[in-house]
Amino acid sequence: MSEFIVRCITSDCKVASGIVEKTVELFDMGSTIPFIARYRKERTGGLDEVQIQQISERLTYYRELQDRKGTVLKTIEEQGKLSDELRTSITNCSDKQELEDIYLPFKPKRKTRASIAKERGLQPLADLLIAQRADIKNKNEVLSRFVDPQKGIDTIDQALAGALDIISQDIADNASYRAWIRNSLSNRGTLVSKAKKEWAEKSSKFEMYYNFSELLKRSSAHRILAIRRGEAEGVIKWSIHADNDQLLAYLDSQVIRNKTFIFYKELLTAIEDSYKRLLFPALESEVFNAKCVEAERESISVFSKNLKNVLLAPPAGDKVIIAIDPGFRTGCKVAVIDGTGKFLTNTTIYPHEPQNKKNEAEKLLAQLVDQYKVEIIAIGNGTASRETDQIVRELIKNKQLDLISVVVSESGASVYSASEIARKEFPDLDLTVRGAISIARRLQDPLSELVKIDPKSIGVGQYQHDVNQADLKNALVFITEFCVNHVGADLNTASQSLLTYVAGIGPAVAANIVEYRNLNGAFKGRKELLKVAKLGPKMFEQCAGFLKIRNSKNPLDNSAIHPESYHIVERMAEKLECKVKDLIGNDKLLGSLQLSDFVTEEVGIPTLSDIVNELKKPGLDPRAEFSYAIFSDAINDLSDLKPEMVLEGIVTNVANFGAFVDIGVHQDGLVHISKLSDSFVRDPHEVVAVGDNVTVKVLAVDTKLKRINLQLVS
């Protein structure tokens, strides 16, 4: 790898060059980010997944930049215009935009006014004018030499106009000028949006942007993306307002060297033409698009944070669960699963209008609770959710049942129920029953169930359809992989969907693992993975530590200790004159170890510390303890809300401007960022996360617009 790339990544990521080199070596050897972060800490200096991902992204960026440099150098060299100075500028360039600015004058263009003028032989005249020689005294004498009717230049005015077109283009192509004006527009330009004429008197979701302006650099991501969407839908138009006099004065100062030059006024005309016709329109779009890219990154980052919190939500664990997918006319679909997530039975109840078979529904639910020893009733948060929750809570109270009722987000459940995955899992069940099963399983283990659903269907993103879809997909895959490998997977029960995200595996090998398991029964040990089709030694190295096996002959197979380190644990046991199994959970024995006794060239204190910590609590689930919110019985509809009410709720989404909270009225309320704390909050994610149980106070309710303003209490 080139020193240039190492130097750039070191600067961008604020990481020592030696660590960058070793991390890139691991990438080039086919190592995955989860594997590197957990099992190669000595080489990376203990970098976490986010830092390693950043190195990976910058590595891709600079390798693409180097490839582009090669193309640019070759193209300019073929034109015979590659000077030593230009070669150095290109070679040392560390920014894609800067490289394109350098290349712009040499980039093949479609026919322009300047290119036509050059074809007519007016480049020497343009060079003469831009040189601004003091000894030139007669305009006609200079211009008449370039009149040539055979080339389409019949008059001196045509000759002058063509030369000025060349100068205008050269000014517009100048990398330094473009960079200066781009920077000025980015930092001092004002973003202005107006309603299009046909929308000026109409209502729309973009009304706040009908007459809007603010400093571009202060425009938040959601406003930028909203303005872009409004333009795409033909409702508004945007522009960037700048101090044109200041920008023209800058260009004048750069181009004009002799104010007594006889073509001084003509040069000023060329500068103004270059700015208004070429430079400003191009840079206005470029700067706005750059701001959109920045906004997309921010939006994707928010989505990623929310997705991480949803996937790592505390699991209810191996409880027997009744799930209810509520509804009015078509009834409530009921499904029961056991502690492993296995489907047991299903039925439909009709406690609401128009059937109103409440007593029958309660009787049937009570029978299911008794028959299957149910511990939790999970209720989807869609239509009829609050009404169903009330009936269930009354049932629990009246029958004195030893169980709890929990409202669960059903976002994406319908997507799962119609998916190929669901059809394979439950080919004989109706879509609605599959949806109910999904609701139960996502309470039991959110991560295992939600990996089966496209993250974009989970409902925790803002403007997700307005961002670069490839970038969004990559970010969400990274977060999903992080969560799956952070928690780990049970090799003998994990679904194909979950196994797909385990480090190094992917969809094809995940399917092979499930097929092997179906044919041969449960895996007896981690080494048996090597018998799976297409799972070779390198893939085993990457995935083995994240796959756990309960009741394996080797107790270390149910830990996050990598098989490559089993010999270290065996040495520890030998040192303490005990068996490996005696070390597990034995703080006293483990505390007596001197880790320095086991340090080698490859294994240092970071890895040894991880091994000891894992031995203390092998297989510990890193997710928080399960908890749930209880909605008020008195609040079922928007009309029930009154200012100053204090209620429990669940955070359903977090955006840059605040957090949305479900308080049980079929419409989420907004806690604006200014109402999240008494002190200043820079990022709502610092205060709340998706899935948090919170207490909020109602500030205002607009039943017409269905808006609820809330304040976070705790």
Side-chain angles (χ1 to χ4, degrees), residues 229-244:
R229 184 192 287 181
E231 182 198 34
E233 294 185 15
V235 179
I236 58 176
K237 54 186 177 181
W238 63 266
S239 59
I240 297 176
H241 290 192
D243 187 339
N244 293 324

Side-chain angles (χ1 to χ4, degrees), residues 184 208 535 590 654 677:
S184 180
M208 73 169 288
L535 200 158
L590 293 169
V654 181
S677 173

Side-chain angles (χ1 to χ4, degrees), residues 445-582:
D445 188 346
L447 179 60
S448 294
E449 189 62 21
L450 292 175
V451 292
K452 301 173 185 176
I453 302 169
D454 182 345
K456 288 182 284 187
S457 300
I458 295 175
V460 292
Q462 289 282 315
Y463 294 98
Q464 62 191 47
H465 301 295
D466 295 327
V467 303
N468 183 292
Q469 294 302 296
D471 290 346
L472 177 62
K473 181 180 179 181
N474 290 338
L476 300 185
V477 166
F478 169 73
I479 287 297
T480 307
E481 287 178 347
F482 166 82
C483 293
V484 169
N485 291 288
H486 179 64
V487 173
D490 186 322
L491 181 56
N492 286 321
T493 61
S495 67
Q496 181 180 330
S497 300
L498 189 70
L499 290 169
T500 295
Y501 291 102
V502 172
I505 289 183
V509 175
N512 292 346
I513 290 173
V514 173
E515 184 180 1
Y516 179 92
R517 201 168 63 195
N518 291 339
L519 291 173
N520 300 281
F523 284 86
K524 309 298 187 298
R526 279 172 166 166
K527 286 186 178 179
E528 195 178 347
L529 276 166
L530 291 166
K531 295 181 181 179
V532 173
K534 297 184 180 179
L535 200 158
K538 184 63 183 180
M539 191 179 292
F540 177 83
E541 174 196 61
Q542 297 299 304
C543 72
F546 303 101
L547 295 168
K548 299 172 185 177
I549 303 174
R550 297 180 188 179
N551 305 316
S552 169
K553 288 183 180 179
N554 189 335
L556 299 181
D557 283 346
N558 192 34
S559 74
I561 298 171
H562 198 283
E564 68 183 8
S565 297
Y566 284 4
H567 70 282
I568 297 173
V569 182
E570 289 163 3
R571 282 178 55 211
M572 289 176 174
E574 186 180 331
K575 183 88 172 177
L576 296 174
E577 298 180 345
C578 66
K579 295 181 179 180
V580 167
K581 66 178 182 180
D582 298 328

Side-chain angles (χ1 to χ4, degrees), residues 311-326:
L311 294 179
L312 293 181
D318 52 357
K319 309 288 186 183
V320 180
I321 298 174
I322 286 178
I324 304 176
D325 187 358

Side-chain angles (χ1 to χ4, degrees), residues 220 222 462-463 654-660 670-674 676 684:
S220 62
H222 68 274
Q462 289 282 315
Y463 294 98
V654 181
N656 288 332
F657 51 83
F660 292 93
L670 172 64
V671 183
H672 189 266
I673 188 171
S674 62
L676 283 170

